[in-house]
Amino acid sequence: MSDAGPLLQWSELVYDLQRLLRDKGVTTPLYVVGGAVRDAYKRAAITDVDIAVDGDAIGIAKQVADWLDADIYIMDRERGVARVFLKRESGAFLLDFARFRGATLHDDLIKRDFTVNTLAADLLGDLSHLIDLLGGERDLREGVLRRCSPNAIKDDPVRALRAVRQSTQLGLKMHPATLSDVRLFAPGLSQISPERIRDEFFKLLALDNAARGLRVLQHLGILQRILPDQFGQTPAEGPPQQQLDAWSRSLRITERMCAILTAVSERRTDNNAAAFDLGMLVIQMDRFRGQLQERLSRSYGNGRRHRELLVLAAFLSNLSEMDSATDGEQLSLLAKAVSRSLRLTLEEGRHLSLAMSKYQVILDESEWSPLARHRFWFGLDEAGIDAIFLAAAVYLGRQGEGIQQADWLAFVDIATELLDTWFRQYEDVVSPPLLLDGEDIMKTLGIKRGPVVGRLLSTLREAQVLGTVRSVDEARAFVARQQVESG
């Protein structure tokens, strides 16, 4: 146990929780453990807290939720794990309560994954005092990711994936024995539920340097155990250099996507938006920044955000065995295969498929008339935003250092025009309120319900976009002419 002076610095919310527990007379031993302690040690922001309980963790969680008028979710009744959701203006704050995994705190900590995640603090005692039973502080200072025990990764192969994610996230080098176990026990992922693998994988995709983590996953042979065969390894077709180039482009596209998403996020700084390519894009997109951030932060459960879905799309967009620039239908099918493999929701799968299958049209088209913009958005709806982000990342990733300023500015203008159409011209261009509905058309033409009515509604909508039909009378005359001309 460390005897150093004050080491930990907590957010006020954690101190409030401590005061509440003391005021309510709680005496059950409670310890903050893992990432929150590491963040307190590093003076980083804390958004969730893991609490190890020497007793009835679910009971304590229920009491805390009741005292704070918060929501609670029982995550694992058998193992005594519950989550309390605290709603704050800055977002949700999570409190995870879990019963000791053994008789003592040491027994609990040694059954965890890595030593840097075993730092602890007494929630009812001196919160500034670091409890370090397994040398986690030393490993953190020395930049080492070390397994807690020889069985840590063998007992839970998801920790092989987590080792890559946390070494990437924290800038740590895997200890040789840990690296050896990652290689040795990664095949055990085939016995793990796809949902657990998905959630850990998405945590890696959430990193600003996700491409680095993906590179390590591929190098260690883990990626092919996460994604369908055609995506999990360097493309197998073509000369070796061509295979390497395709893989490198995929990682470059992923890097550019992460940079773009950071530049439009609330974490944007002058530094990460200073480069010419990002700078020009950010300047033009800034007017839509709030709406874009709202979409990127959309959640699909277990912490998965829409942002990570776009990073996945960027990575997959150039890693298939076909020419992604010319075969959107095939990319759509492969996106669906990935969605099934990762057990994504139907909504996630739809957005992934649409973005991957439609981004190329933005790169191919140089002229965007009102009708072309209408057809783009009417077919994609909000997924068109994803296609724009993906097109930008693909453009920058493919060009690499050889980006042409004039061509890039032309692309930025197109992206801006498309976004302006969605956010500011929705009722004029994207989906103008129809002057006639289906019942009106059937009554006007004396026809029954069927495909003809749908076709006439579509042509009427496009005529309104073009401004050739502006009134109900003109709309009736227009559909009548269309019916006669179609025979």
Side-chain angles (χ1 to χ4, degrees):
M1 185 179 296
S2 173
D3 291 324
L7 291 174
L8 306 178
Q9 182 172 301
W10 299 92
S11 67
E12 193 58 37
L13 193 147
V14 176
Y15 290 116
D16 288 343
L17 176 62
Q18 182 187 62
R19 284 190 287 269
L20 173 68
L21 293 167
R22 287 174 170 176
D23 290 345
K24 295 295 185 179
V26 174
T27 58
T28 302
L30 305 171
Y31 297 91
V32 183
V33 295
V37 185
R38 188 180 62 240
D39 291 338
Y41 177 82
K42 298 171 66 176
R43 309 300 195 263
I46 299 170
T47 58
D48 56 89
V49 175
D50 291 333
I51 302 171
V53 182
D54 185 9
D56 181 8
I58 293 179
I60 293 290
K62 287 180 177 179
Q63 287 182 310
V64 170
D66 183 55
W67 293 332
L68 296 175
D69 191 25
D71 295 326
I72 183 172
Y73 173 66
I74 308 302
M75 301 173 68
D76 190 330
R77 190 173 298 277
E78 183 179 348
R79 297 185 180 182
V81 182
R83 170 170 291 175
V84 174
F85 299 84
L86 300 182
K87 297 178 182 178
R88 294 293 182 267
E89 291 183 2
S90 57
F93 194 95
L94 307 180
L95 301 174
D96 285 351
F97 295 81
R99 187 176 63 234
F100 271 11
R101 307 179 195 188
T104 66
L105 178 62
H106 180 274
D107 293 339
D108 177 87
L109 296 177
I110 203 167
K111 290 181 179 179
R112 294 176 181 267
D113 48 16
F114 311 111
T115 60
V116 295
N117 295 326
T118 63
L119 301 177
D122 187 349
L123 185 54
L124 296 178
D126 182 359
L127 271 174
S128 69
H129 182 68
L130 178 67
I131 300 173
D132 179 19
L133 305 181
L134 298 177
E137 182 190 7
R138 175 203 61 213
D139 286 341
L140 195 60
R141 280 189 285 103
E142 296 180 357
V144 176
L145 188 77
R146 186 193 310 267
R147 54 172 168 66
C148 290
S149 72
N151 293 324
I153 298 173
K154 178 183 178 181
D155 289 346
D156 186 359
V158 166
R159 290 171 174 174
L161 173 54
R162 190 177 303 151
V164 175
R165 191 257 297 178
Q166 292 212 316
S167 63
T168 303
Q169 179 180 4
L170 302 174
L172 306 177
K173 183 178 180 180
M174 287 189 215
H175 184 270
T178 301
L179 180 59
S180 177
D181 280 1
V182 166
R183 293 181 185 274
L184 181 61
F185 298 117
L189 286 169
S190 61
Q191 305 301 316
I192 301 299
S193 74
E195 291 81 5
R196 285 194 66 207
I197 295 173
R198 171 201 64 200
D199 290 345
E200 187 62 46
F201 184 51
F202 264 65
K203 289 179 182 179
L204 185 147
L205 296 176
L207 304 179
D208 288 341
N209 57 348
R212 184 181 304 172
L214 290 167
R215 188 189 302 275
V216 176
L217 285 179
Q218 192 275 335
H219 177 71
L220 295 177
I222 300 175
L223 193 60
Q224 65 199 62
R225 304 184 183 281
I226 299 173
L227 301 175
D229 291 342
Q230 62 263 49
F231 284 119
Q233 51 196 325
T234 304
E237 295 185 352
Q241 187 58 47
Q242 182 177 327
Q243 298 173 29
L244 182 61
D245 288 347
W247 173 254
S248 297
R249 277 196 301 274
S250 289
L251 293 177
R252 234 182 9 246
I253 291 169
T254 306
E255 288 174 349
R256 301 321 292 158
M257 176 64 86
C258 290
I260 291 169
L261 296 176
T262 298
V264 300
S265 75
E266 68 283 351
R267 295 181 295 108
R268 183 180 76 196
T269 65
D270 291 340
N271 288 333
N272 58 36
F276 163 75
D277 52 2
L278 290 184
M280 294 308 300
L281 188 65
V282 166
I283 289 172
Q284 294 300 319
M285 284 188 169
D286 209 49
R287 71 196 78 170
F288 318 114
R289 191 177 176 198
Q291 296 101 312
L292 294 176
Q293 287 179 0
E294 182 179 351
R295 178 162 181 78
L296 295 174
S297 63
R298 184 173 301 175
S299 176
Y300 296 103
N302 287 347
R304 300 193 314 281
R305 297 173 302 168
H306 195 75
R307 177 200 177 281
E308 285 82 74
L309 198 66
L310 291 187
V311 176
L312 178 60
F315 177 61
L316 300 177
S317 64
N318 199 74
L319 200 58
S320 59
E321 293 180 359
M322 76 291 300
D323 180 3
S324 63
T326 59
D327 206 335
E329 184 177 351
Q330 278 296 97
L331 278 176
S332 176
L333 291 174
L334 291 170
K336 291 174 182 177
V338 171
S339 298
R340 289 193 297 272
S341 177
L342 293 176
R343 301 297 195 272
L344 300 182
T345 65
L346 291 177
E347 185 180 7
E348 287 173 294
R350 176 179 177 274
H351 289 310
L352 183 66
S353 176
L354 286 173
M356 288 180 61
S357 64
K358 299 299 184 181
Y359 75 86
Q360 188 63 40
V361 69
I362 304 172
L363 299 174
D364 290 342
E365 299 294 333
S366 58
E367 298 293 332
W368 287 85
S369 65
L371 185 57
R373 285 181 278 131
H374 164 76
R375 288 174 174 171
F376 173 82
W377 283 111
F378 198 77
L380 288 176
D381 200 63
E382 279 188 300
I385 299 173
D386 307 333
I388 292 170
F389 273 113
L390 185 53
V394 168
Y395 183 100
L396 294 174
R398 287 179 183 168
Q399 295 297 319
E401 299 299 325
I403 183 173
Q404 299 297 312
Q405 180 171 325
D407 293 342
W408 172 242
L409 290 177
F411 171 85
V412 171
D413 286 343
I414 290 171
T416 304
E417 184 178 28
L418 287 172
L419 288 173
D420 189 79
T421 300
W422 175 259
F423 288 119
R424 299 183 176 182
Q425 304 174 53
Y426 187 87
E427 290 195 353
D428 294 325
V429 178
V430 178
S431 185
L434 285 168
L435 294 167
L436 301 177
D437 61 20
E439 295 293 334
D440 294 330
I441 289 178
M442 288 187 285
K443 182 177 180 181
T444 298
L445 301 180
I447 61 176
K448 295 181 179 180
R449 191 179 309 277
V452 171
V453 176
R455 177 180 59 79
L456 289 172
L457 286 171
S458 179
T459 55
L460 173 60
R461 185 181 294 107
E462 293 189 353
Q464 289 184 218
V465 170
L466 293 171
T468 56
V469 173
R470 295 184 174 87
S471 68
V472 173
D473 288 342
E474 289 179 351
R476 291 196 178 103
F478 174 81
V479 296
R481 287 196 306 272
Q482 290 292 310
Q483 180 70 343
V484 170
E485 291 173 2
S486 66

